[in-house]
Amino acid sequence: MTAVGEELGTEQGRPQQSLGSAAARNLATTTKSAPQMQEITSRWLLKMLPWTQVQGGTYRVNRRLSYSVGDGRVTFVKTGDRVEVIPAELGELPALRDLEDEEVLAELARRCVQREIEPGQVIASFGSAQDEVHLLAHGKVEKVGSGPYGDDAVLGVLADGAYFGEQALLDPDAIWEYTARARTACTVLVLSRADVTNLAERAPSLDAHLAALRALPGQRTNRYGEAAIDLSAGHSGEADIPHTFVDYEARPREYELSVAQTVLRIHSRIADLYNQPMNQTEQQLRLTVEALKERQEHELINNREFGLLNNCEYEQRIQPHDGVPSPDDMDELLSRRRGSKLFLAHPRAIAAFGRECNKRGLVPESVDMGGHRIPAWRGVPIFPSNKIPISDARTTSIICMRTGEDEQGVIGLRQAGIPDEIEPSLSVRFMGINEQAVISYLVTAYYSAAVLVPDALGVLENVEIGRWR
């Protein structure tokens, strides 16, 4: 009886008195949403980055001549518990920069001695002779100096890939101007001045290279390593006024526009028949363009050639003093540049910074950005971006930048006015219909980013996001 009652739409054997909802839906008009896409984010970097029109697809950054060398990081290879430096990476050291003799670099790499350092152990003491260069393969090292009242002051924190004591290879009278102390367990490769000098006696290329490089410290530079401009001030009478000129880099860096592309395919039957209430071609293109913009922002942050994380100068990279992103670390990041316009951080890094503020009883302010309340520190907004990667060790980075061409900051590059453009530097080009009646559209975006001067961009690296106490 129950089965028959259900089939006739009755309840407990009683006859149905009205039309059921299942049958009524066959006559009803369904209200549908536009296709949704979880990948879409706020893309604050694309919104906040000032864009510069690039004609010819290339942007050249002309800078004042600089004598600074060896400002990169050293890369290592680990085999079991043995760590070796890649020979070519020794070229990141100031004394070995531009040395092209691969055999000499390989021999120097073989002469590096591996040392395991315990937490708290002093690697080098202030005032002692500096006769070794240390390559930090893993761990964190504090640079400790003396404060104005005799107490210790942390001058900086070094992490994986850093080096210190590099003056030992050029100056036999060099002394340590700070104490290097291991903050965590560290693996360090040590190259002594004696080994370099011994090899230089048998390798003319190394000897000539070091002899030529020793002349560089005699060049007059400003504190940024740029060729000095001679000026006179405060004189009286008929004093001799210095003559000067401003020298430029002979080989300035050029940024070529990068490209992101895809071919969207739609069957003509779909495009012709299934267009109510929404146009299928428009919706397909809309979602494709959204995905292309997400990839564009990812490349602007992570691309090895022009991405922000990879193009930040080494001296503008700092390490958190206690692992987590504290207000002190954010202040130091701000202090490295004038006119900082924005922070860019993973949402989980912003949450970690909020926890540190809570521990200190601080409440970060917020600013209004087009109707959105964005957290800020010292008046500088902290924009979220999930494109900043999180490592397996649950660490990430926080980017701080000054933007704008007039401010010598970070700028986005694009070329507006390309054929079949739907947005500046983004085009949708009809490619035709094949024999299977499939329509093809080429969707293309051209873009890049340029850092006009090194201090326009800074990064707080190795930020821990998983510590809750």
Side-chain angles (χ1 to χ4, degrees):
M1 180 64 183
T2 302
V4 175
E6 290 178 353
E7 182 178 347
L8 295 178
T10 61
E11 181 180 351
Q12 297 179 352
R14 295 195 299 270
Q16 182 175 336
Q17 301 182 48
S18 64
L19 180 64
S21 58
R25 277 199 296 269
N26 292 328
L27 277 69
T29 300
T30 301
T31 301
K32 294 170 283 293
S33 74
Q36 305 299 303
M37 182 175 174
Q38 189 171 343
E39 186 182 7
I40 298 175
T41 64
S42 54
R43 297 195 294 266
W44 282 109
L45 180 60
L46 296 185
K47 296 175 182 177
M48 302 306 298
L49 205 60
W51 293 91
T52 298
Q53 172 72 358
V54 176
Q55 297 296 340
T58 303
Y59 186 87
R60 178 181 297 158
V61 179
N62 289 305
R63 289 179 180 173
R64 188 170 156 188
L65 178 64
S66 174
Y67 292 113
S68 61
V69 293
D71 55 358
R73 285 194 170 179
V74 183
T75 305
F76 304 86
V77 174
K78 189 174 187 299
T79 305
D81 60 352
R82 179 173 174 77
V83 177
E84 297 177 340
V85 62
I86 298 175
E89 290 294 310
L90 289 175
E92 296 295 344
L93 299 178
L96 303 176
R97 192 67 176 264
D98 296 327
L99 178 61
E100 299 178 354
D101 194 328
E102 297 180 0
E103 294 183 1
V104 170
L105 292 175
E107 178 61 26
L108 290 173
R110 285 191 290 270
R111 296 190 180 204
C112 291
V113 178
Q114 180 175 341
R115 294 180 185 172
E116 300 296 331
I117 311 297
E118 297 296 327
Q121 182 177 341
V122 174
I123 303 173
S125 299
F126 171 78
S128 61
Q130 189 179 111
D131 56 2
E132 295 176 332
V133 57
H134 297 76
L135 312 178
L136 183 55
H138 179 67
K140 288 187 178 182
V141 172
E142 288 181 330
K143 297 166 62 176
V144 181
S146 179
Y149 300 102
D151 54 343
D152 289 344
V154 178
L155 306 179
V157 180
L158 304 176
D160 301 6
Y163 55 83
F164 52 100
E166 62 274 11
Q167 286 300 321
L169 303 185
L170 289 175
D171 184 4
D173 299 323
I175 62 172
W176 287 100
E177 298 178 351
Y178 53 85
T179 295
R181 183 172 60 202
R183 185 161 194 165
T184 64
C186 298
T187 300
V188 178
L189 297 186
V190 178
L191 178 64
S192 68
R193 181 171 62 240
D195 281 336
V196 176
T197 303
N198 177 267
L199 182 59
E201 293 175 354
R202 299 184 290 106
S205 61
L206 177 59
D207 186 53
H209 177 82
L210 293 177
L213 199 58
R214 287 189 182 99
L216 283 182
Q219 298 282 359
R220 296 190 62 253
T221 64
N222 61 16
R223 61 175 178 161
Y224 302 106
E226 298 171 329
I229 298 176
D230 294 327
L231 302 171
S232 178
H235 54 276
S236 61
E238 298 180 354
D240 290 335
I241 299 177
H243 298 260
T244 190
F245 67 96
V246 181
D247 206 354
Y248 303 132
E249 289 184 349
R251 295 192 298 270
R253 179 171 180 180
E254 294 185 347
Y255 293 85
E256 294 186 1
L257 292 185
S258 183
V259 61
Q261 290 180 310
T262 188
V263 175
L264 173 64
R265 293 179 174 177
I266 306 172
H267 199 283
S268 59
R269 181 175 63 253
I270 302 299
D272 293 341
L273 300 180
Y274 302 97
N275 285 321
Q276 295 297 331
M278 284 170 279
N279 186 288
Q280 290 283 358
T281 302
E282 290 180 359
Q283 295 301 323
Q284 288 282 300
L285 285 173
R286 180 179 67 85
L287 296 181
T288 302
V289 168
E290 292 286 356
L292 202 64
K293 290 181 178 179
E294 294 291 331
R295 182 57 180 268
Q296 178 181 353
E297 187 174 68
H298 178 275
E299 291 291 301
L300 288 173
I301 295 174
N302 298 287
N303 187 278
R304 293 188 62 85
E305 294 296 326
F306 58 85
L308 300 180
L309 288 178
N310 293 296
N311 279 268
C312 180
E313 296 289 343
Y314 179 59
E315 61 266 20
Q316 296 297 328
R317 300 171 184 262
I318 64 175
Q319 305 296 323
H321 286 80
D322 195 32
V324 292
S326 69
D328 299 329
D329 297 319
M330 299 292 274
D331 283 341
E332 184 174 356
L333 193 58
L334 283 176
S335 70
R336 296 297 183 95
R337 64 202 42 79
R338 60 176 174 83
S340 298
K341 293 295 179 64
L342 62 95
F343 291 103
L344 198 66
H346 194 282
R348 296 176 67 182
I350 298 176
F353 174 65
R355 290 195 295 271
E356 292 305 305
C357 290
N358 291 339
K359 291 178 183 178
R360 302 191 184 193
L362 301 175
V363 180
E365 59 184 310
S366 61
V367 295
D368 183 84
M369 303 297 298
H372 299 272
R373 300 302 299 179
I374 303 296
W377 181 249
R378 307 295 188 192
V380 180
I382 309 174
F383 292 103
S385 175
N386 65 350
K387 311 300 189 308
I388 299 177
I390 296 177
S391 70
D392 295 337
R394 297 171 64 82
T395 62
T396 184
S397 300
I398 297 177
I399 299 172
C400 181
M401 70 181 85
R402 179 178 68 247
T403 59
E405 205 167 20
D406 294 338
E407 296 292 333
Q408 298 186 114
V410 181
I411 58 173
L413 306 177
R414 67 186 181 190
Q415 182 172 324
I418 59 177
D420 301 313
E421 187 177 74
I422 61 171
E423 293 183 18
S425 206
L426 193 155
S427 68
V428 177
R429 185 170 298 178
F430 175 69
M431 296 178 62
I433 306 175
N434 65 14
E435 295 180 354
Q436 285 75 39
V438 176
I439 307 171
S440 297
Y441 295 92
L442 177 64
V443 187
T444 305
Y446 296 102
Y447 56 89
S448 187
V451 182
L452 299 187
V453 294
D455 74 344
L457 176 65
V459 176
L460 178 63
E461 298 183 309
N462 299 318
V463 171
E464 295 182 20
I465 59 174
R467 192 190 303 180
W468 292 84
R469 293 184 180 179

